[in-house]
Every structure is written in structure tokens, then in C-alpha cells.
Amino acid sequence: VAAVRSLYADGLEPFGRILLRRARERRAAGLGHDIDEAPMVEPKNLQRICHSCSALSVQEIDETEFTVLLLDEPPMFVDVTSPSDPYPAALWAAAASYFESLRGKDVVLLGGRYACAQALA
């Protein structure tokens, strides 16, 4: 439940793949390890645990994806597919300047959007 709440706090819908990563991050932090050293979480086990929790509602998206919602908190997530841009032009100019200043290994951001956002935070 704590991993789902943390994704709500970040405005991210707790899709299974994102929840898997957040659960692993939290486990790594609890062990004092880097995420790459934390044990992998089996997706079907996570889904089964979420189904058994009375504080959560698991909704199947398709054959391979699901989302987990809190029953006591309304879902208010960032729509990552929205064309709306609430950020000022100055923010994007600063971001462009930052990215243009990167050199060597600093240029590479591995993973998807979530991993890149974490690396930039």
C-alpha cells in the first residue's frame, strides 16, 4: 500500500510495471542498497498480493497490464499522453541549456521515462 501511496503522491498512476519498480526501489532503500542490488519482484506475485489487500482495487488493463487504485483516495494522475503543457517557456529553455551542457557519460540516460525522471530529480 505504501508503494501505491507514493505513486499517488507523485501523480503517477500505479500501473503494474511502475508499481513493480517502486516496490523494488522501496525494498532497496530499506536494505540500504542500490536498486540494481535489490531482488526482483515477480509481477504475478505483486498482482496477487494487491488483489488480496482490502485497501486496494486492482483493475486489469489488458492481458499483460493492470493498475492498482487506493479505495480511500481519489485518483488524480498526470496524463502523460496529454498535449497540454503547463510549464513556462523559461523552464524548457533551462532544460535545453542543461542537456546541451552534458558531456561524455552524463549524456546517457538509461531506461524509460520513469528511470530518466528519477535520474534527473
Side-chain angles (χ1 to χ4, degrees):
V1 175
V4 175
R5 284 199 190 284
S6 73
L7 289 169
Y8 265 66
D10 291 343
L12 297 174
E13 185 168 355
F15 289 109
R17 64 188 183 282
I18 296 172
L19 184 56
L20 281 166
R21 178 141 178 113
R22 182 58 56 95
R24 191 170 181 218
E25 286 170 354
R26 294 178 61 83
R27 180 67 177 142
L31 295 171
H33 293 151
D34 183 69
I35 189 169
D36 295 327
E37 298 169 1
M40 297 294 286
V41 178
E42 175 60 41
K44 290 294 181 190
N45 288 341
L46 177 66
Q47 191 172 7
R48 182 180 45 77
I49 290 167
C50 291
H51 269 294
S52 71
C53 182
S54 62
L56 302 174
S57 170
V58 178
Q59 300 178 358
E60 311 297 324
I61 303 297
D62 59 33
E63 295 160 1
T64 61
E65 188 62 275
F66 63 97
T67 188
V68 181
L69 302 176
L70 294 168
L71 294 176
D72 66 350
E73 193 171 331
M76 301 281 292
F77 306 124
V78 174
D79 180 358
V80 297
T81 63
S82 172
S84 174
D85 182 4
Y87 299 102
L91 177 128
W92 295 116
S97 177
Y98 169 75
F99 289 122
E100 289 168 0
S101 74
L102 297 176
R103 300 287 179 259
K105 65 180 174 82
D106 292 333
V107 175
V108 179
L109 291 172
L110 301 177
R113 291 178 294 221
Y114 180 78
C116 288
Q118 291 235 295
L120 292 170

